[in-house]
Amino acid sequence: MPEYDRAGIGRRDNPKRLHSAWLLRVSSITVFCLFTAAPGYSQNLPNPPGAADVAKVTVHQAQQRVSRATLEAVRWSGPVSGPSARRGKSIALVAEDLRNGGIVGVAQGAREAATAMGWTLKIFDGGGSTAGRAKAFADALAAKPDGLVLCGSDALENTAALTPFALQGVPVVGWHAGAQPGPIRGTPVAMNVTTDPLEVARLTAMAAVAQSNGQAGVVILTDSRYSIATAKAQAMESVIRACQECTLLEVRDVAISQSSEQMPALTRELLQRYGKRWTHTLAINDIYFDYSIVALTGAGIPSDGMSLLSAGDGSASAFLRIRAETYQTVTVAEPLNLHGWQVMDELNRLFAGQPVSGFVAPIHLVNIDNIAFDGGKKFQYDPDNGYRDIYRHLWNP
């Protein structure tokens, strides 16, 4: 069995040997323990795992952190060298749910990159359901791709569906497929492309502390089906608990795929329960807010009477709300299009038998002060750092 390095593949090993080695390790996978925030999780319950990570949060600290994160895009800090494009590759992208703006943004970037590399890209939509996901995996496997992108689905929970790809020597790269960037142990995912979700979540919660002058009354929305969402919720909760005069009202578990059905009634329920004590909502994704606005306006809450802050992904509707100053004030937007280019670059490195780049993009908070920059006029966060030309130069020297 090859020795594994931090880049996630065996040293000097090609993709087929990598996946064979992974299969040998499947039998030794340990139980993955996951803390799940239950509906109605009360602030009076004991602190959850991770709550001790932040000892104390002051308003000054929060304001400084937010100020740094709202700067315009920094210079490119990603890869500046790599293999030329392996021509004629066919890539399958299995999307958890194309109703999710983050997933759509990554898929669009991947399609741009595929064109630049002379590759073909086929997208298979899981529709946010178990049956839809199973069909998407089956259809993707039948397409006999050279590489697979797992977009928005938890890799550990879908290990069985990924195994047939590994058996055929198909390298796998993920986006938001786990709780951390990098390789995902116990799965064939050689690189999970994402910004650091814990930093994204902490920054979102810091913004609520800064906005409220340390007086926020907070509800957190998450989806416990995904390890990345649970990790974000825990990190946000940890910050709010560390703010001395902030109040954590509740952590509510709402499936992203059911947000359209559940959020209007849930918003009315929370308004009735907490009234004016509820001042800020922190969510692991912008999509929850798409379906809570009607309930807020119907209850007579003014557009500045509730602050909605999202720890990802920077959807077009989120940008529109922030720009119009209607409820949503913050999204810690991911560079979705850039991530689409990165997943394709990581696959190209695997095709060439090279380590993945391991690049983790810096986090960026979007608010009314900086929304006009770095793609904001097009209702997206698209860093103006020349990443497209840089990747093109890598692939076509």
Side-chain angles (χ1 to χ4, degrees), residues 281-295:
T281 305
L282 307 180
I284 55 93
N285 192 284
D286 295 300
I287 195 170
Y288 293 110
F289 302 150
D290 292 349
Y291 305 104
S292 61
I293 300 298
V294 172

Side-chain angles (χ1 to χ4, degrees), residues 127-181:
S129 70
T130 301
R133 193 180 309 114
K135 185 177 187 303
F137 276 117
D139 290 346
L141 186 65
K144 300 184 182 302
D146 296 302
L148 175 69
V149 177
L150 180 65
C151 196
S153 297
D154 192 287
L156 283 163
E157 292 186 2
N158 291 283
T159 302
L162 295 172
T163 299
F165 294 91
L167 284 168
Q168 296 182 19
V170 177
V172 183
V173 170
W175 178 83
H176 280 208
Q180 293 292 336

Side-chain angles (χ1 to χ4, degrees), residues 216-234:
V218 176
V219 169
I220 297 175
L221 302 173
T222 189
D223 185 343
S224 65
R225 297 177 305 160
Y226 306 109
S227 58
I228 191 171
T230 301
K232 281 183 177 181
Q234 290 177 357

Side-chain angles (χ1 to χ4, degrees), residues 314-382:
S315 67
S317 57
F319 272 73
L320 182 61
R321 287 188 291 268
I322 293 170
R323 201 171 193 176
E325 299 185 67
T326 303
Y327 299 109
Q328 187 162 359
T329 57
V330 160
T331 183
V332 182
E334 300 222 47
L336 301 170
N337 203 82
L338 185 160
H339 279 169
W341 284 67
Q342 184 183 349
V343 296
M344 302 300 263
D345 180 64
E346 305 294 10
L347 281 175
N348 190 55
R349 292 169 188 272
L350 293 171
F351 291 143
Q354 296 188 14
V356 293
S357 75
F359 173 53
V360 180
I363 59 176
H364 181 69
L365 183 145
V366 176
N367 61 15
I368 190 61
D369 296 324
N370 66 1
I371 198 167
F373 305 102
D374 294 304
K377 291 181 179 179
K378 297 180 180 179
F379 303 103
Q380 62 181 331
Y381 172 48
D382 195 21

